[in-house]
Amino acid sequence: MRVIAIGALFLGIAGAFAPLFAEETPTISERAQIAPQAVILQFIEKVENARVLETDQLYRTQLAHLVPVVGDAFDMRAMSAAIVGRVVWRGWSEDEKENFSSIMTEFLAATITSRLELETDAPTEIQATIDGPRGTKIVQTVSTQNGESIRVDYRLSQIDRGWAIVDIVADAKVSEVARRRAEFLGIIRSQGHAGIIAAIGKKLEQLDRAGT
């Protein structure tokens, strides 16, 4: 069983640091052949790479590293559509969909970055890959933090570029999509697209202040 040391990470900047993190990217045909568990292993490994970075602006450098990592590993358009709901998503323009997907990518990367300082007692281990609903696969992982076993399940869907993460579930009950939907739905209903973009922008500013 392959294991990689990493905590229970679940939950304009990237361009400045992009040359520091150049990594070979698989072609679309190569990516399509990668099994779901391999996608998760690659994601975990790239997140772990951010943990060991050393720089004066650590949070921002880690975030710059993780934004493209999250963008590659996740189907953020599918996650975004699930978060806002089908009716709202269909009513948005293509630019609005792209804007929301983009800021959600940065927000998820920022959330992961903010948790990189958490210490783990044991490596993350992939326990199993099982069939999920509607043709998805669920990769079940477990790690140990502060003496407690933490389970994180990654649900993946097959898209044109291969398997991509569409949700993360902690302890078999806390779905990232459901949590964000509950958090954002009231803002979307009362303030629309502009309101939710502004709200997430404020959260990004708060994470930046806390990390710098």
Side-chain angles (χ1 to χ4, degrees), residues 48-66:
E48 179 69 6
N49 290 340
R51 182 195 290 277
V52 299
L53 291 173
E54 296 182 3
T55 177
D56 291 337
Q57 297 185 10
L58 182 58
Y59 172 83
R60 290 178 179 176
T61 305
Q62 289 173 328
L63 178 58
H65 172 74
L66 287 175

Side-chain angles (χ1 to χ4, degrees), residues 168-181:
I168 305 173
V169 180
D171 293 328
K173 57 184 179 181
V174 184
S175 161
E176 178 73 4
V177 167
R179 188 161 71 102
R180 298 307 175 191
R181 180 172 172 80

Side-chain angles (χ1 to χ4, degrees), residues 73-192:
F74 287 74
D75 181 357
M76 195 53 69
R77 282 183 68 94
M79 284 188 70
S80 296
I83 288 169
V84 305
R86 292 181 181 178
V87 174
V88 172
W89 186 255
R90 289 172 180 170
W92 281 356
S93 69
E94 188 59 33
D95 283 346
E96 288 173 328
K97 293 175 181 177
E98 186 62 31
N99 288 342
F100 185 77
S101 299
S102 178
I103 200 168
M104 280 303 302
T105 299
E106 186 172 355
F107 181 55
L108 181 55
T111 301
I112 294 172
T113 302
S114 70
R115 297 173 181 173
L116 285 176
E117 293 184 355
L118 296 176
E119 297 294 334
T120 57
D121 305 322
T124 294
E125 179 179 338
I126 290 182
Q127 292 194 313
T129 300
I130 63 175
D131 292 335
R134 297 181 294 278
T136 61
K137 296 290 185 180
I138 298 174
V139 178
Q140 299 173 333
T141 73
V142 66
S143 63
T144 305
Q145 190 174 79
N146 297 325
E148 295 186 5
S149 180
I150 299 175
R151 174 177 163 182
V152 177
D153 295 347
Y154 297 85
R155 186 161 66 89
L156 298 91
S157 181
Q158 195 162 36
I159 58 177
D160 55 357
R161 68 174 190 265
W163 291 99
I165 303 167
V166 293
D167 200 5
I168 305 173
V169 180
D171 293 328
K173 57 184 179 181
V174 184
S175 161
E176 178 73 4
V177 167
R179 188 161 71 102
R180 298 307 175 191
R181 180 172 172 80
E183 181 181 4
F184 296 154
L185 196 55
I187 299 174
I188 293 171
R189 286 174 174 170
S190 62
Q191 302 177 40

